[in-house]
Amino acid sequence: MSNDKEISTPTKSRDSLPNKGNETPHNDDSGARKSQKEMTKAERRALQEKQRAEKEAMKQSSSSSAQKAKGGSHSSAKTIPSKPTVTPQPQTKSISSKEDKKPKQLGLFAHLEEPKGPLGTQIPKELHPAILSLGLQFSEFQISGSNARAIATLNAFKKVIQDYQTPPHTTFTRNLQHYLNPQIAYLVSMRPLSVSMGNAIRYLKYEISILSIDLPDEDAKELLIERIDQFIRDRITVADKMIVDFGLQKIQNGDVILTYACSSIIQSLLLEAHAKGIDFRVIVVDSRPKFEGITLMKRLVHAGIKCTYVLINAIGFVIKEVSKVFLGAHGMFSNGALLSRSGTAIVAMMAHHQKIPVIVCCETYKFSDRVQLDSFVYNEIGDVEEVASTDRPSATANVSPIRTQNSALVDWKSIPDLKLLNLLYDLTPSEFITVVISEVGMIPCTSVPVVLREYRPMVQ
């Protein structure tokens, strides 16, 4: 027992000693700190002194850092104060500038690209002058219409092939396709390809792919140019003549024919019917913003055909006296749907409601194996300024457009909740179409896949 007391007494005296230096009372690395109730007065006093010392050290460090900051600000007063104010400004300006440049587009059509124009398109280094000129004409709508765009594209590629020189250590057939790809990409950047242009370009690539490698370059060029001329002759020129011959069977004396916008094949059909001596009348339906129907109306009236020109909002009044409806086509899909100028679906629906036959004239090279159910998935966005414009075309030739004042859309960009949309095409369901006239004859719109299967080697 005496030994135990001798051992325990030094521990009590050691614990009761005040804390010296930086040592903390009862703070082992392995154990937890005791509560203040378990501490002695000396331990509590030592703890308080340590806390006061830590607070004073923190105050001194903060004051010294503040003095350094003040001293640095006096030495570099022009540079340092500008950092917190200048750095966020370029970010906000860049964001606002991007928002100003970004068009006010509807979210439903955000996947559709707006036309960039010649200023917003990078010109490839090896771009042929014929393709450059063609792209500018496409962007400014100087060349419009499916047939006109397809013929102009093929004629431009004829010039490209004629001027093409095969690089050393390569073959004509393999390198020509790589040379044509940037040319095609430039045309797409200026304006999206039409269905007719896409099929024509695929036909050209197919003809290039089946060329013999051993064929000399000059012979290969002549063969490709001959195939392009054959495509234009057989699939467009001769096809239009056959469509006109089939369409004449549907026009009789006393008919009142309604057509929409301006289709080259419909124009040829009506002019040929008038030349054959058939007595009929034409109602041309038109709509903003392009007013393409006024061009068709001028040509028909100049040929001596009796015409009536109305806008699309008056179709409900004139549809009752119509006997047949003839429509042009931008493309026909494999499910029988018709892609044509925006407003065609309304005309076909009104005619179907009145039980009036709807006849579509379309060449087979405009048939596509795609399936489309609406006008949202694939379409082309035109210039929204055309919708906001107050100009109206004059019915008289060589007369400037009529300009109106005080339009609500003059300052439409300054209205945050207003967005404009200019879709160039719409989709007409197959149930609104009675018959499709093509160079293969009069077929139902559901027979488009059959024609595609027969012409597959020519459009691949």
Side-chain angles (χ1 to χ4, degrees):
M1 295 298 292
S2 61
N3 294 331
D4 295 335
K5 290 180 180 179
E6 291 176 358
I7 294 171
S8 60
T9 51
T11 58
K12 290 181 179 179
S13 61
R14 190 181 296 114
D15 294 338
S16 62
L17 291 176
N19 186 22
K20 295 181 181 180
N22 295 327
E23 296 179 358
T24 58
H26 299 280
N27 191 11
D28 294 340
D29 295 334
S30 60
R33 181 181 294 178
K34 291 183 178 181
S35 62
Q36 292 184 0
K37 293 182 180 179
E38 296 177 355
M39 292 181 183
T40 60
K41 292 181 179 180
E43 292 173 351
R44 288 196 294 270
R45 191 180 298 110
L47 181 61
Q48 291 175 0
E49 290 176 358
K50 182 183 177 182
Q51 292 175 353
R52 290 193 192 98
E54 291 176 354
K55 289 181 181 179
E56 289 177 358
M58 292 177 63
K59 289 180 181 179
Q60 290 177 0
S61 63
S62 62
S63 62
S64 62
S65 63
Q67 289 178 359
K68 290 179 181 179
K70 289 180 180 179
S73 64
H74 288 297
S75 61
S76 60
K78 293 182 179 180
T79 58
I80 295 178
S82 62
K83 287 183 180 180
T85 57
V86 173
T87 49
Q89 286 181 359
Q91 294 178 358
T92 55
K93 287 182 180 179
S94 63
I95 293 173
S96 62
S97 62
K98 289 180 181 179
E99 290 179 354
D100 294 338
K101 294 179 181 179
K102 187 176 181 180
K104 296 169 64 177
Q105 191 175 11
L106 295 175
L108 186 61
F109 302 93
H111 63 285
L112 300 177
E113 296 183 0
E114 293 190 356
K116 299 178 182 179
L119 299 178
T121 305
Q122 295 182 355
I123 300 176
K125 296 181 180 179
E126 299 180 353
L127 188 65
H128 195 273
I131 301 298
L132 177 62
S133 176
L134 182 64
L136 294 175
Q137 291 175 340
F138 282 166
S139 64
E140 297 175 358
F141 284 86
Q142 294 180 3
I143 299 178
S144 182
S146 298
N147 290 339
R149 292 175 65 188
I151 294 174
T153 302
L154 291 175
N155 288 330
F157 280 121
K158 284 171 56 178
K159 298 178 182 178
V160 173
I161 294 172
Q162 287 176 351
D163 299 337
Y164 173 76
Q165 298 295 330
T166 306
H169 308 292
T170 57
T171 59
F172 177 83
T173 57
R174 294 182 179 178
N175 193 72
L176 180 59
Q177 290 196 9
H178 295 289
Y179 180 75
L180 293 180
N181 288 334
Q183 319 285 334
I184 299 170
Y186 174 76
L187 294 178
V188 174
S189 64
M190 299 301 287
R191 188 182 173 187
L193 295 180
S194 62
V195 178
S196 59
M197 291 175 60
N199 290 336
I201 291 174
R202 277 190 290 271
Y203 168 80
L204 177 59
K205 288 186 174 181
Y206 171 76
E207 293 296 334
I208 295 174
S209 64
I210 63 176
L211 287 176
S212 176
I213 300 177
D214 301 329
L215 194 65
D217 292 355
E218 295 300 326
D219 295 341
K221 290 180 181 180
E222 293 179 1
L223 182 59
L224 282 179
I225 294 173
E226 182 182 354
R227 295 291 174 83
I228 292 174
D229 292 335
Q230 181 182 357
F231 183 88
I232 295 174
R233 182 184 67 252
D234 296 344
R235 306 299 301 276
I236 301 178
T237 306
V238 177
D240 288 347
K241 293 181 180 179
M242 296 180 67
I243 290 173
V244 169
D245 293 337
F246 286 120
L248 289 175
Q249 302 175 14
K250 293 293 184 180
I251 301 178
Q252 300 174 357
N253 290 323
D255 278 343
V256 179
I257 298 173
L258 185 142
T259 184
Y260 178 73
C262 182
S263 174
S264 60
I265 185 63
I266 300 299
Q267 174 184 327
S268 302
L269 174 60
L270 297 177
L271 292 177
E272 184 66 22
H274 178 71
K276 294 289 185 181
I278 303 176
D279 185 18
F280 62 95
R281 184 165 64 91
V282 178
I283 298 177
V284 180
V285 182
D286 205 0
S287 68
R288 297 186 73 247
K290 291 189 176 300
F291 293 103
E292 294 176 320
I294 199 169
T295 304
L296 176 63
M297 183 266 298
K298 291 178 182 179
R299 295 170 180 172
L300 296 180
V301 171
H302 182 72
I305 301 175
K306 294 178 290 184
C307 295
T308 303
Y309 179 81
V310 297
L311 295 180
I312 196 170
N313 56 345
I315 189 173
F317 298 95
V318 300
I319 195 68
K320 298 177 182 178
E321 54 182 314
V322 174
S323 58
K324 296 180 180 68
V325 175
F326 282 85
L327 299 175
H330 181 80
M332 291 288 298
F333 296 110
S334 60
N335 61 339
L338 168 67
L339 184 70
S340 189
R341 181 65 69 196
S342 181
T344 305
I346 298 176
V347 176
M349 180 186 64
M350 292 293 294
H352 178 74
H353 181 70
Q354 295 291 333
K355 295 180 174 53
I356 299 172
V358 178
I359 304 169
V360 176
C361 298
C362 181
E363 300 85 349
T364 55
Y365 86 103
K366 295 181 184 178
F367 290 178
S368 175
D369 55 358
R370 293 204 313 256
V371 174
Q372 190 167 332
L373 302 177
D374 51 42
S375 304
F376 306 148
V377 177
Y378 170 80
N379 210 318
E380 183 179 351
I381 294 181
D383 188 7
V384 294
E385 294 295 338
E386 293 180 349
V387 180
S389 176
T390 57
D391 296 344
R392 293 186 292 108
S394 176
T396 307
N398 300 325
V399 176
S400 59
I402 302 173
R403 185 179 298 274
T404 58
Q405 301 294 333
N406 299 325
S407 174
L409 299 177
V410 173
D411 299 328
W412 69 275
K413 291 183 179 179
S414 61
I415 305 175
D417 296 331
L418 178 61
K419 297 180 181 179
L420 301 183
L421 179 66
N422 183 14
L423 291 179
L424 296 185
Y425 305 104
D426 64 6
L427 196 78
T428 304
S430 59
E431 56 266 22
F432 295 160
I433 301 173
T434 306
V435 67
V436 176
I437 301 178
S438 64
E439 65 266 30
V440 297
M442 301 182 188
I443 60 174
C445 54
T446 53
S447 298
V448 172
V450 180
V451 178
L452 285 173
R453 188 164 58 248
E454 295 295 329
Y455 281 90
R456 178 64 60 188
M458 300 187 64
V459 296
Q460 271 185 343

